[in-house]
Amino acid sequence: MFAEHLGECRLLAAQASGEVAKLRAAPERERASLSAAAFSLLKQADEGLASLQLEARSAPAEERRKLCREEEALRAELRATAKELNDARREMLLGTGAAEDAGGDTERLFLAREERRRTSAVTDSLRKGHDRLQEARKQAAETEHIGVETLQELRRQRETIHRVKDHTADLGHNLRDAERTVKSMEQPSCVAM
């Protein structure tokens, strides 16, 4: 099974190398499609290489060393082809482009298992950090909303307190007037009859 995957990956690498050679000699209108085809072949080879890595992990220890050496040799071959593709793209100003028809970035291809794991861990860490940041922004917006509502409620209560104070002052003034009136009514009046 390992030999089949290895042969398939080598065949894909040879085909990709052939596409890169065609790319250098092709007319300008065909270069983008040849670049995309070469990248597609390299991507398929990368997926095959990932399968090889999984198979090598499950092999017995003495066979695993041999498989790892073959895997590293294949990885070096694929990286060389990917470098050729990048060089050809740069020379012909094709760029790496995000569109499918222009091909993709070859820097992410042919990573060892540890590199894939590390890359995946960094990506997960960034995703978690992004999620925490989004949650913090949401909480900050909610806190700001609550703060604004609290300030509005405090303003309403302040106005109520001022009205109560004004009414209390009026009541005090009315009470003093009433006391004066009552005292004046209690005083004997001199009435001549």
Side-chain angles (χ1 to χ4, degrees):
M1 185 81 167
F2 188 85
E4 290 174 14
H5 281 296
L6 191 63
E8 184 181 325
C9 287
R10 285 209 168 107
L11 177 65
L12 289 168
Q15 289 174 344
S17 188
E19 292 294 317
V20 171
K22 286 182 200 175
L23 174 66
R24 292 181 186 275
E28 192 171 330
R29 67 181 183 279
E30 295 176 12
R31 289 180 182 166
S33 63
L34 287 172
S35 173
F39 178 78
S40 176
L41 290 168
L42 288 172
K43 188 163 175 70
Q44 290 174 21
D46 180 51
E47 291 166 0
L49 187 62
S51 296
L52 288 174
Q53 289 173 340
L54 291 174
E55 284 183 39
R57 283 176 46 191
S58 63
E62 65 272 351
E63 190 178 337
R64 191 177 313 142
R65 280 187 227 113
K66 177 185 171 230
L67 297 177
C68 285
R69 280 193 303 274
E70 289 181 20
E71 177 189 322
E72 284 301 317
L74 177 61
R75 181 177 289 110
E77 182 181 336
L78 291 169
R79 281 183 176 163
T81 304
K83 185 178 181 323
E84 285 179 42
L85 177 61
N86 275 342
D87 291 345
R89 284 176 170 176
R90 256 191 297 277
E91 287 171 17
M92 297 173 191
L93 301 175
L94 291 176
T96 57
E100 282 297 317
D101 62 339
D105 185 12
T106 59
E107 298 295 321
R108 292 187 182 157
L109 299 178
F110 320 120
L111 300 175
R113 184 175 350 125
E114 296 81 32
E115 291 171 322
R116 288 180 194 272
R117 193 176 313 128
R118 212 170 330 146
T119 302
S120 177
V122 168
T123 302
D124 289 342
S125 175
L126 288 173
R127 190 173 295 122
K128 287 177 185 174
H130 181 266
D131 292 344
R132 283 192 299 258
L133 185 59
Q134 291 297 94
E135 184 62 29
R137 285 181 183 157
K138 182 180 174 185
Q139 287 178 351
E142 288 174 3
T143 302
E144 182 180 4
H145 179 71
I146 290 169
V148 167
E149 286 180 346
T150 303
L151 285 174
Q152 290 173 346
E153 181 61 29
L154 287 172
R155 183 180 50 83
R156 282 192 292 270
Q157 289 177 0
R158 181 173 185 239
E159 289 171 359
T160 302
I161 289 171
H162 282 293
R163 278 195 309 272
V164 168
K165 186 177 176 184
D166 290 343
H167 290 307
T168 304
D170 289 345
L171 283 174
H173 182 66
N174 291 341
L175 184 60
R176 279 191 296 277
D177 287 347
E179 283 177 354
R180 267 189 253 126
T181 304
V182 168
K183 281 184 183 178
S184 69
M185 290 170 72
E186 288 176 349
Q187 290 178 356
S189 349
C190 290
V191 177
M193 291 205 215

